[in-house]
Amino acid sequence: MAAPLKVCIVGSGNWGSAIARIVGSNAQVLERFATTVKMWVYEENVNGKKLTEIINTDHENVKYLPGYKLPDNVVAVPQLRDAAEGADLLVFVVPHQFIRRLCDEMVGCVSKNARGITLIKGIDEGPEGLKLISDIIREKMGIDVSVLMGANIANEVAAEKFCETTIGSKVLENGQLFKELLQTPNFRITVVDDADTVELCGALKNIVAVGAGFCDGLQYGSVSSATFLESCGVADLITTCYGGRNRRVAEAFAKSGKSIEELEKEMLNGQKLQGPLTSAEVYHILKQKGLVDKFPLFTAVYQICSEGKPVQEMITCLQSHPEHL
């Protein structure tokens, strides 16, 4: 029998810790995976103690997922290369702005047949234009990368409420492998061979259909419209608009007059929102292409988040382009 596959979770925030609960539990019972699951944790001090020590002693991420125990086979590791050493399966779940640096740091320390899956909702704006996070990982680390996106709120997944999600994979066999690692009776996974659309749905869920346009514009080949009906598409859009942190902070921003940064500190324990950052990256590309007028919602969100436009002008911006609503 082949040696069990070593798993490394790259990231340990709210979503990363929720996923670690699933991966740790599955690794305890499925012989295909090594029992010990390493989780890279950005070291912080919490109440005078190192976060990694708290996780490894109390088996709880008290900062980012308080109230939910992690399986004791999930080991928090403060050095990324130590966490990823010899890993066969890498689960990426960090804010998207850090992905280039983290991949550079891991080069050469993972298994030669390593495979990855990204749960990161965002796109990267580099010198050559927009890039999918999965493509950055593929190019920097030379591994196949699947993507997991869905209508998933981390605390609901941690509480084992029923949720569905979508894995997109260019190599279906790898998508099925990650499904085995990540699926539970209450976290149901569909695998599709349309990875780029799945990823763009996650990144651009404010207007899900824009994902198809970007796919074609980036010449990623044909888009399966059925993908938009999976959990990564319309369901994720609706869930985020009702219950996600981007919506909650934006509502507080409109009501309180405080800055996004202040509200992140108050409401998110210092975690960063991906929505404003993604809106800036998309806006810069739209401006380059002369398409700003075609995307009034993206433009309005960017101007309010990044240029100090009064939030009260949001509806005016949209009403001036009724044909695009």
Side-chain angles (χ1 to χ4, degrees):
M1 185 178 160
L5 299 166
K6 293 180 185 171
V7 182
C8 170
I9 301 170
V10 182
S12 58
N14 187 232
W15 189 209
S17 298
I19 284 297
R21 278 171 53 83
I22 290 175
V23 173
S25 297
N26 283 348
Q28 287 176 336
V29 295
L30 299 173
E31 291 181 1
R32 191 168 187 181
F33 308 108
T35 306
T36 299
V37 173
K38 291 183 179 176
M39 176 171 74
W40 174 64
V41 175
Y42 178 77
E43 192 67 282
E44 300 176 66
N45 279 325
V46 179
N47 301 325
K49 287 179 71 178
K50 289 182 175 175
L51 183 55
T52 52
E53 289 175 5
I54 296 171
I55 292 171
N56 290 332
T57 305
D58 301 337
H59 306 294
E60 183 181 347
N61 189 334
V62 293
K63 180 160 186 185
Y64 295 114
L65 193 66
Y68 295 100
K69 288 290 184 187
L70 295 169
D72 58 13
N73 59 317
V74 173
V75 178
V77 181
Q79 297 298 326
L80 179 57
R81 283 186 71 87
D82 293 344
E85 186 65 46
D88 301 294
L89 302 177
L90 295 154
V91 180
F92 293 90
V93 54
V94 291
H96 80 264
Q97 61 268 37
F98 302 129
I99 196 65
R100 289 175 182 271
R101 178 172 59 77
L102 296 176
C103 286
D104 286 340
E105 214 177 305
M106 277 187 285
V107 168
C109 74
V110 302
S111 150
K112 69 179 192 308
N113 296 318
R115 287 157 279 190
I117 189 165
T118 169
L119 282 62
I120 300 168
K121 290 181 176 176
I123 41 182
D124 187 78
E125 186 197 1
E128 67 278 40
L130 286 185
K131 239 186 169 49
L132 297 176
I133 302 301
S134 60
D135 282 339
I136 293 170
I137 300 169
R138 275 186 205 103
E139 289 169 19
K140 286 191 170 287
M141 299 191 65
I143 63 174
D144 181 65
V145 184
S146 301
V147 299
L148 182 147
M149 302 282 155
N152 314 130
I153 304 265
N155 285 57
E156 292 185 357
V157 173
E160 298 177 21
K161 294 185 177 177
F162 184 81
C163 302
E164 293 179 299
T165 201
T166 313
I167 287 177
S169 198
K170 294 177 189 294
V171 181
L172 270 180
E173 177 192 336
N174 292 344
Q176 294 293 348
L177 175 62
F178 280 110
K179 174 176 178 174
E180 195 179 333
L181 177 69
L182 294 164
Q183 183 161 266
T184 74
N186 288 322
F187 189 61
R188 308 304 295 172
I189 297 172
T190 302
V191 180
V192 299
D193 59 351
D194 192 11
D196 296 330
T197 312
V198 170
E199 187 166 1
L200 280 161
C201 283
L204 300 173
K205 56 193 173 181
N206 291 330
I207 310 175
V208 176
V210 173
F214 275 134
C215 257
D216 288 340
L218 294 166
Q219 297 176 321
Y220 278 129
S222 63
V223 171
S224 166
S225 58
T227 302
F228 294 115
L229 301 178
E230 296 290 349
S231 180
C232 63
V234 176
D236 191 17
L237 171 67
I238 293 166
T239 301
T240 300
C241 289
Y242 275 100
R245 67 178 73 166
N246 284 277
R247 187 206 67 80
R248 281 191 293 113
V249 174
E251 182 181 6
F253 175 81
K255 287 178 175 174
S256 70
K258 294 179 180 176
S259 71
I260 296 281
E261 291 76 17
E262 285 177 275
L263 292 165
E264 284 174 334
K265 286 194 182 79
E266 283 179 24
M267 300 174 68
L268 302 180
N269 217 355
Q271 290 197 100
K272 301 301 254 180
L273 288 183
Q274 294 297 295
L277 190 60
T278 303
S279 77
E281 291 166 341
V282 170
Y283 178 79
H284 294 147
I285 298 298
L286 294 176
K287 198 169 179 185
Q288 276 175 18
K289 306 286 185 193
L291 293 172
V292 167
D293 288 347
K294 300 282 186 192
F295 295 89
L297 180 60
F298 281 174
T299 301
V301 169
Y302 164 74
Q303 289 174 335
I304 291 162
C305 289
S306 303
E307 293 191 340
K309 192 175 189 109
V311 70
Q312 292 75 12
E313 292 185 28
M314 176 81 184
I315 301 302
T316 320
C317 295
L318 298 180
Q319 284 173 335
S320 62
H321 296 84
E323 70 277 15
H324 299 304
L325 290 180

